[in-house]
Amino acid sequence: MGRGRSLRARFLMVALACLVPLLIVVLYVLYESVGNGRDQLLDAQGATAEVVSKVLASTLDDNEAVLTELASIDKVRRIDASSADALDQFKRARPSLYGLFLVQPNGELVATSGIDPAQFAAIPSFKDSMDRALKLGETGISGRLVAPDAEMIAITVPVRAKDGDTGTPIGALGGLLSIERLKDNVLPFVSGDTEVAIVEHGDVIAAQGTDLRPADLAGALAQPIAQAASGKMGTHVYQDSDGNERLAAFSPVPGADWVVLVTHPAPNSYAPNRMLIQRALAALGLATLATLAIVLFLGEWMSRPVRQLTAQASRLADGDYGVQIEPTGHGEIAVLGDAVREMAGQLVAKVRDLEAAQEEDAYQADQMRDLNRRTVRLQEDERRRIAGEIHDAVAPLITGALYQTRALKLGLSEHAVNGIGNGRSHEATRNDLGDELGSIADLLTRAHEELHGVIFALRPPDLDDIGVVAAIERYMAQVQRSGLTCRLELIGEQASLSPEVRLAVYRIVQEALHNALRHAAADEAVVRIEQSADWLRVTIRDNGAGFNPELAQRPTALGLLSMRERAAAIGAAFSIASRPGDGTTVTIERWSEPVPAPETSEPVLEPMPPWPAVDELIEQRPAPLDGGAARL
C-alpha cells in the first residue's frame, strides 16, 4: 500500500484505542476476582491444614495414652514371655492396631501380638522411634512402614519399673497403627481436587485425594515442608510437574516430625473456574471481533476511493504512462484525485524528457568508452611512430657518424705511426681530416634536428616560452614540408591564455591539420585565431574531400572525438561544418576572462650547443695509440 498506514488501519487503530480501556477494566476485574479467590482458597487450606494437624495430634496422643496405660500393667513390666497374654488381650480390644510388641533395653524382642515388628528393624524411622523410647524415655513415632499386606506406623512408649519413675526405662512398648484407619479418622472430608497429605522427611505417610508426586515433594514443596518441620505454618504457590499452578498450606503435627500438606489447584487452573474464565474471555473476544468487523467495514467503505486512486498512481509509478487518473468519491477525496491527475500529467512530460536525456547520456558514454579504447590504441601507435622515427631517421645518422669517427680515429693512429713519409704534406692531411670532421658534423646536426623534431611533436616548448601562436606557426612550417600549404591569420589583440587552454588549442589545430593532410587529401589550409579580452575563436578550414557531418556524432573517428573532448575540457563550444567534396571547417569558441599565464614548473628544453669548427676538432683529436692499432 505504500509508506505509512492505510485508512482502514487507522480506523482499526481508533477502534482499538477505544476498546483498550474497556478490555483493561474487564481483565482487571477478572484478575482481581481470581486473586481474591486465590486468597480465600489459601485461607481455607491453611485452616484445613491446622485442623488436620490438631486432629492427627489428638489421635496420636490417644494412642500414646493407651500404650502408656498398657505399659503400666505389671505383666508388661515383667518384660518376659508372660507379657504376651496382656498384649493379645489389648490388641483384640483395639482393631486399629496391627500389632503390639515389647522389647528389652538392649532392643531384643520379648513378646509380640499381631504383625512381627522384626521386619522393620532396619528401617531408620523405626529404629529412631525405638531409641527415643529406650534411651530418652520419650514417645517415639516412626514414619510409614510397609508390610506385605498393610501400611502402618509405629508408636513406642517407655516401660518404667514403677509409676512416676524418671530413670532409665526397663523396656519399651510399641504399637503398629494402621495408616488406613488413620486416614479414615483424620482425613474424612477431602473431596474433588483438594489433596491432603501427611509427610515425614519428604516421605508421604498418608494422603487423601490425588497422589502427591515425589518430584513435587523433592522440588517445589521441599522448602515449605522444611519450614513446617521447623514448627512453622504458612502457604505456598507452586507449579506441579505438569506445569499447573497449585496452592498449598502446610502445618506441623505437634509431638511428631510430621507435616500436614493441603493443596488445591489455583483458581486459574481449577477446571470449573478455568472454564468460566475461558467463557468470559471468549465472549469478550467475540465482542471485540464484532466491533472490529464493523470498524473494518466502515473503513473499507471510506478508503475504497483512495485505494483506487492509489492503484492508478502505482501503475503510473511503475512506468505505465498511458493510465488515466479517474478520481472517485466525494469531497476532499475528489479534490485529491484532481490534484493527482494534474501532477501525473506533469510527471509524464518530465519522465519523457528524462528518458531522452538518459538516452543521450548512454550515447555519450558509449562514445567515451570507444574514445578510451581508441586512445589506448593511439598511444601505442604514437609510441611505435616515435620509435620508428628515431630508428629510421636519427639512429642511422648517429651510426654513420660513429663509423666515420672510428675510421678517422684509425687513420689518425696510422698517420702517427708512419709519419708523413708517404709523400703528402701536412697541410693536405689536415684538409682531409677537416673534410671528415665536417661530414661527421653534418650527420650529427641532422640527427639533432630529427631528434628535436620528435621532442617538439611530443611537447612543443614554444607553448610555455612564447605562446600558442608561435607553436602553431612552427607546426605549420613542418606540415608545409609535407605538401600542405598553410596560412595563419590573427585577428584582435592576443591575450594571455592559461596553460590548459594553450595546450587544447594547439592540439586541436594539430589534429585538424593532420586530418586535412592524411585523410582529406587537402593542399591548402587556413588557421584563423580571433581573440578579445573575454572571447576566443579558432577556425581551421581546408579544401579537402570533406565528409558527412553526421559521422562526427558517431564514435568512429578518433580525431574528431579527441578534438571535441579537448574543447569540452576547457569549456569551449566545438562545431564541424563539412560537405563531401567541399572541404571541412572546424571551429571552437570560448567565452571567459583572460587568465594570466602562471610560471610553469615544467622543464624547458635547452637548445643544443653549436657544432665545433673543424679546426677545433682537429686540435682536440686524440693522441696516437700505442702500437698504431685503433681500439674500438
Side-chain angles (χ1 to χ4, degrees):
M1 289 295 297
R3 300 177 61 183
R5 297 180 177 85
S6 65
L7 191 58
R8 287 181 299 177
R10 293 178 183 275
F11 268 91
L12 187 61
M13 291 176 61
V14 171
L16 288 175
C18 296
L19 288 174
V20 164
L22 178 61
L23 292 175
I24 292 176
V25 171
V26 173
L27 294 177
Y28 176 76
V29 172
L30 289 176
Y31 176 79
E32 289 295 324
S33 299
V34 172
N36 292 336
R38 174 182 297 181
D39 295 339
Q40 294 176 359
L41 188 58
L42 284 174
D43 293 340
Q45 288 182 220
T48 301
E50 185 177 4
V51 171
V52 171
S53 65
K54 290 180 178 181
V55 171
L56 188 59
S58 177
T59 301
L60 294 176
D61 290 342
D62 290 345
N63 284 276
E64 179 186 354
V66 171
L67 291 176
T68 301
E69 182 180 356
L70 179 61
S72 64
I73 299 175
D74 292 337
K75 289 183 178 182
V76 175
R77 286 177 174 173
R78 295 174 185 171
I79 313 299
D80 55 18
S82 63
S83 303
D85 293 339
L87 298 181
D88 289 337
Q89 293 177 4
F90 190 81
K91 178 182 177 302
R92 286 194 293 270
R94 305 286 294 190
S96 61
L97 295 175
Y98 281 135
L100 293 171
F101 58 90
L102 183 64
V103 296
Q104 295 180 351
N106 59 2
E108 183 179 353
L109 188 64
V110 176
T112 63
S113 177
I115 294 177
D116 187 3
Q119 58 183 316
F120 309 126
I123 298 176
S125 63
F126 182 80
K127 293 173 60 179
D128 182 66
S129 65
M130 294 295 297
D131 290 340
R132 282 179 175 274
L134 292 174
K135 296 179 181 180
L136 301 178
E138 299 176 353
T139 300
I141 301 175
S142 72
R144 185 167 62 101
L145 306 175
V146 181
D149 298 329
E151 294 181 352
M152 62 205 75
I153 62 171
I155 302 177
T156 58
V157 296
V159 179
R160 301 185 183 278
K162 59 182 179 178
D163 294 340
D165 189 3
T166 58
T168 302
I170 60 175
L173 176 65
L176 300 176
L177 180 62
S178 170
I179 290 180
E180 288 297 326
R181 293 291 182 91
L182 184 65
K183 290 168 57 177
D184 294 340
N185 291 335
V186 301
L187 308 174
F189 49 85
V190 178
S191 61
D193 292 333
T194 302
E195 182 178 287
V196 179
I198 303 171
V199 182
E200 190 261 344
H201 298 301
D203 185 22
V204 178
I205 298 175
Q208 191 76 6
T210 305
D211 293 336
L212 281 173
R213 299 182 182 183
D216 294 336
L217 293 175
L221 293 175
Q223 182 179 0
I225 290 174
Q227 292 179 358
S230 63
K232 298 180 180 180
M233 295 178 59
T235 58
H236 184 69
V237 181
Y238 71 100
Q239 285 187 341
D240 60 16
S241 54
D242 293 333
N244 298 321
E245 187 179 27
R246 297 183 69 89
L247 307 179
F250 51 90
S251 177
V253 178
D257 293 335
W258 293 358
V259 175
V260 175
L261 279 176
V262 180
T263 68
H264 191 279
N268 55 339
S269 300
Y270 185 52
N273 289 343
R274 187 168 59 248
M275 184 176 297
L276 179 61
I277 294 174
Q278 291 174 352
R279 289 177 179 176
L281 293 177
L284 184 62
L286 290 175
T288 302
L289 291 177
T291 303
L292 295 179
I294 295 173
V295 171
L296 286 176
F297 174 77
L298 293 176
E300 172 68 18
W301 177 69
M302 296 187 66
S303 64
R304 181 176 299 175
V306 178
R307 194 165 60 252
Q308 293 176 353
L309 185 61
T310 303
Q312 296 171 358
S314 298
R315 290 176 56 190
L316 182 64
D318 293 337
D320 185 4
Y321 301 117
V323 63
Q324 297 294 328
I325 303 297
E326 298 178 356
T328 58
H330 306 279
E332 292 84 353
I333 297 179
V335 175
L336 175 63
D338 293 336
V340 172
R341 179 168 54 190
E342 182 179 356
M343 181 182 63
Q346 297 177 0
L347 177 63
V348 169
K350 291 184 179 297
V351 167
R352 289 174 180 171
D353 294 340
L354 179 61
E355 289 177 348
Q358 289 177 343
E359 292 177 358
E360 180 65 22
D361 290 343
Y363 170 74
Q364 294 293 337
D366 292 339
Q367 283 190 325
M368 287 300 299
R369 285 191 292 270
D370 188 76
L371 177 61
N372 290 335
R373 291 193 297 268
R374 291 173 179 269
T375 300
V376 172
R377 290 198 298 270
L378 182 60
Q379 289 175 348
E380 295 300 323
D381 293 342
E382 184 69 13
R383 290 170 182 170
R384 286 194 295 270
R385 184 186 67 79
I386 295 171
E389 289 182 359
I390 294 176
H391 180 272
D392 297 339
V394 180
L397 297 174
I398 296 176
T399 302
L402 177 62
Y403 285 154
Q404 289 192 15
T405 303
R406 290 176 179 174
L408 179 61
K409 187 176 182 181
L410 182 60
L412 290 175
S413 300
E414 291 177 355
H415 176 73
V417 173
N418 299 327
I420 317 180
N422 55 5
R424 297 188 64 184
S425 65
H426 181 75
E427 184 65 27
T429 303
R430 182 181 179 89
N431 292 334
D432 292 339
L433 291 177
D435 294 338
E436 292 292 337
L437 291 176
S439 177
I440 294 173
D442 291 339
L443 291 175
L444 293 178
T445 300
R446 290 172 56 191
H448 173 267
E449 292 176 353
E450 292 291 341
L451 186 60
H452 191 271
V454 173
I455 294 174
F456 179 82
L458 293 178
R459 173 63 179 177
D462 292 339
L463 285 176
D464 300 320
D465 295 340
I466 59 176
V468 67
V469 174
I472 292 176
E473 288 177 341
R474 183 164 184 173
Y475 180 75
M476 291 172 64
Q478 293 179 353
V479 171
Q480 289 192 96
R481 290 198 295 267
S482 301
L484 178 62
T485 301
C486 298
R487 186 173 75 256
L488 178 62
E489 298 179 356
L490 300 176
I491 299 175
E493 183 180 354
Q494 303 299 309
S496 298
L497 300 175
S498 65
E500 294 80 7
V501 175
R502 291 199 301 266
L503 180 60
V505 170
Y506 176 80
R507 291 303 185 192
I508 291 173
V509 172
Q510 185 183 41
E511 184 65 31
L513 295 178
H514 175 79
N515 290 342
L517 179 63
R518 294 290 183 89
H519 304 297
D523 57 9
E524 184 178 352
V526 177
V527 177
R528 175 179 293 178
I529 300 178
E530 303 174 70
Q531 192 172 2
S532 65
D534 57 354
W535 175 72
L536 171 67
R537 174 189 288 173
V538 180
T539 305
I540 306 98
R541 185 175 65 253
D542 65 70
N543 62 350
F547 62 96
N548 187 351
E550 294 182 358
L551 296 177
Q553 304 299 325
R554 301 178 182 176
T556 56
L558 178 61
L560 300 180
L561 290 177
S562 175
M563 289 188 290
R564 190 183 303 276
E565 293 300 326
R566 288 185 183 275
I570 62 173
F574 179 84
S575 64
I576 298 176
S578 182
R579 188 170 58 182
D582 199 20
T584 302
T585 300
V586 176
T587 304
I588 61 172
E589 286 185 292
R590 181 175 183 270
W591 293 84
S592 64
E593 295 293 334
V595 180
E599 294 184 1
T600 178
S601 59
E602 299 180 2
V604 179
L605 296 177
E606 295 292 340
M608 294 184 65
W611 294 102
V614 176
D615 294 341
E616 296 177 359
L617 292 175
I618 294 175
E619 294 295 334
Q620 297 173 4
R621 66 181 182 272
L625 299 176
D626 295 339
R631 297 181 182 179
L632 301 179

